[in-house]
Amino acid sequence: MAPPLPGPLAHLAPLLSHYGYWAVGAVVFVEDFGIPAPGETIVIAAGVYAGAGRLNIVAVAVIAFAAAVAGDNIGYLIGRTGGRAFVHRWGRYVFLTPKRFQAAERFFTRHGGKIVTVARFIEGLRQANGIIAGTAGMPWHRFLVFNSLGAALWVGLWVTVAYVAGEHITAVYDEITRYQIHVLVALGVLLLVFLVRHLVRRRRPQE
């Protein structure tokens, strides 16, 4: 019998109970090329099920990884072929407004592969990652390497944490999210320092 899923994971119980691995693959896949879907949540819920013996932990991890990489590559293809025209016309339907897209693209262009890897852990950027990479003209083989690395880290983290934490996953998730925000703020400050330093160095010869 399936274990009861705690807190915000509970609504995924019927989906996982009826479709199992198919649900994990499908939800992660569609989320990763911009369609609003609880990709991260279903990976965590599947990890809890695996910890209770309802699903196989290795199968959950492999399927989530493959779906994440495949979904981002669909996004990359959309960005590469449709680019800005697609985003401006259809982006608002998946909460990717032109303003949000331009901000993400500027950030992405400056930091390339590092952003592709870290984007997996950032809500909003996770869904737009592939589209932005394709639109920005990042070489596909480079995108594939960094995207696969990010997917492996993301899946590995949440599947392992959920598998071990079980019914306590909600409290653990809240703690990780809290520290994740602190880390992202620290990275933002660090990037700002580097940017200011770069601008100061560029201005010195002209003065």
Side-chain angles (χ1 to χ4, degrees):
M1 185 176 177
L5 292 173
L9 303 180
H11 72 284
L12 292 172
L15 191 62
L16 277 174
S17 297
H18 283 90
Y19 301 105
Y21 302 115
W22 287 103
V24 176
V27 173
V28 172
F29 176 73
V30 299
E31 184 199 40
D32 280 9
F33 59 87
I35 297 177
E40 188 168 87
T41 309
I42 202 166
V43 168
I44 295 170
V48 174
Y49 267 42
R54 182 65 188 267
L55 297 174
N56 181 279
I57 187 65
V58 175
V60 169
V62 170
I63 290 169
F65 171 79
V69 173
D72 270 341
N73 273 274
I74 295 296
Y76 178 90
L77 183 63
I78 291 172
R80 194 75 173 184
T81 56
R84 291 174 180 80
F86 180 89
V87 171
H88 284 288
R89 184 171 182 179
W90 303 105
R92 64 183 182 276
Y93 295 110
V94 292
F95 308 110
L96 185 60
T97 62
K99 184 177 180 180
R100 289 179 64 184
F101 178 79
Q102 288 171 7
E105 187 180 32
R106 286 195 300 269
F107 188 68
F108 176 88
T109 301
R110 289 198 299 270
H111 303 289
K114 292 177 290 185
I115 297 307
V116 172
T117 303
V118 177
R120 173 67 51 187
F121 296 89
I122 304 173
E123 186 66 30
L125 195 54
R126 178 168 66 250
Q127 292 83 351
N129 183 29
I131 296 175
I132 297 169
T135 303
M138 184 177 193
W140 176 77
H141 67 277
R142 188 164 183 261
F143 169 76
L144 180 63
V145 169
F146 286 106
N147 179 53
S148 298
L149 174 61
L153 294 173
W154 178 72
V155 170
L157 170 66
W158 290 121
V159 167
T160 302
V161 169
Y163 183 83
V164 173
E167 63 181 13
H168 303 294
I169 185 59
T170 302
V172 175
Y173 182 84
D174 289 342
E175 282 297 305
I176 290 177
T177 302
R178 184 163 63 88
Y179 285 109
Q180 183 184 56
I181 292 172
H182 293 165
V183 171
L184 291 175
V185 169
L187 287 174
V189 172
L190 187 61
L191 288 173
L192 181 61
V193 169
F194 279 120
L195 178 61
V196 171
R197 184 181 178 187
H198 176 69
L199 292 174
V200 169
R201 285 184 173 180
R202 287 188 60 183
R203 292 183 60 184
R204 278 178 181 172
Q206 300 173 2
E207 294 177 350

